[in-house]
Amino acid sequence: MKIGFIGLGVMGAPMARNLAAGGHALLTSLNRSPLPDDLPAEVLDSAADVARQSEIIITMLPDTPDVEEVMLGEGGIVEGVQSTALVIDMSSISPIATEEFARAIRETGAGYIDAPVSGGEVGAKAASLTIMAGGAEQDFQRALPIMQLMGKNITLVGTANGSGQTCKIANQIIVALNIEAVSEALVFAAKAGCDPAKVREALLGGFASSRVLDVHGERMISRSFAPGFRIGLHQKDLGLALDSARKLGVALPNTATTQELLNACSARGGAGKDHSALIEALELLANNAISTEKA
């Protein structure tokens, strides 16, 4: 199958490699990221050109304006997409904007699935991503064999476009608040004179155990903040959460607090660090770093 893949960044490149390994021919139009040397893909001039030649078009872009430009801008997908094609947006963006993009694509006769992912760069490389989809059942079934080359836990959250994005926002709220909770616990323990590594080890055997405590707790202690998922991107996602909650009339008090901690990290030059570096904001407030170890 000819698959157009636009957005070959930290997540998109390994996802595209898995599609190529599955035997599919890849087409792309380069935005900010260059074509990786080991990725067999034909580079075309525009997203519209990619869409004209592709049976399925996948986008994996950083933010809502990026997707809008690629979907609806000059030389965008909507200009070239065939009525028999299927567009799968795997970016994490606004559910409300997603409805607009889906409507524009569906007016051409093509199908549209919003299918944001969770699992980070590690999951992208291992083809073990969690994929949260929104769209018509027939479009989901058509997309499923392709998504199975990139992920393991694949769920059609709802048949309305935007459902997948809403689920991803819920995911990002949970992840952010877990990171904040682990950060608070380790800062508290270290300030009290305990070894945070031993505290983490003990907690992994109890009800407080979590994937965040396991993976990101170790990052916090070893100071391994090379980005798997950048603070700047999590800021964006929590911004989407708070914006959507405001429109829905829903209070998200702890999400708002965690966003402020991410804002503090970003203000100090940490937007490009892994989101586990949120602990640095709490360490600053406590005037106590839990570790000075360098990985």
Side-chain angles (χ1 to χ4, degrees), residues 126-260:
S128 61
L129 293 168
T130 291
I131 303 176
M132 300 151 265
E137 175 72 33
Q138 63 268 27
D139 290 335
F140 175 76
Q141 292 301 329
R142 183 179 175 190
L144 188 57
I146 299 301
M147 294 191 292
Q148 285 172 333
L149 294 173
M150 298 179 283
K152 298 296 184 186
N153 181 23
I154 305 168
T155 305
L156 179 61
V157 177
T159 55
N161 288 122
S163 300
Q165 297 295 351
T166 297
C167 185
K168 177 58 187 291
I169 287 174
N171 178 87
Q172 295 304 80
I173 291 171
I174 292 170
V175 172
L177 269 60
N178 269 273
I179 292 173
E180 197 280 336
V182 170
S183 298
E184 278 198 20
L186 294 182
V187 167
F188 165 77
K191 187 76 171 183
C194 292
D195 179 349
K198 292 295 185 182
V199 170
R200 170 181 167 273
E201 181 182 342
L203 295 179
L204 283 172
F207 200 52
S209 181
S210 69
R211 182 72 172 156
V212 168
L213 178 62
D214 183 11
V215 175
H216 287 338
E218 191 281 329
R219 281 177 172 266
M220 293 168 188
I221 292 164
S222 67
R223 318 312 281 180
S224 304
F225 295 142
F229 189 77
R230 298 192 304 275
I231 279 177
L233 289 177
H234 217 141
Q235 276 184 289
K236 178 262 296 183
D237 289 341
L238 293 193
L240 292 173
L242 293 169
D243 182 59
S244 298
R246 190 161 45 247
K247 291 170 182 174
L248 292 168
V250 175
L252 301 178
N254 292 320
T255 301
T257 299
T258 302
Q259 176 73 312
E260 290 302 324

Side-chain angles (χ1 to χ4, degrees), residues 90-124:
M90 306 190 80
S91 319
S92 295
I93 63 168
S94 163
I96 296 170
T98 291
E99 293 174 16
E100 175 189 348
F101 304 153
R103 187 161 47 249
I105 295 296
R106 290 200 310 267
E107 285 175 356
T108 70
Y112 190 101
I113 289 283
D114 53 289
V117 305
S118 179
E121 184 182 5
V122 172

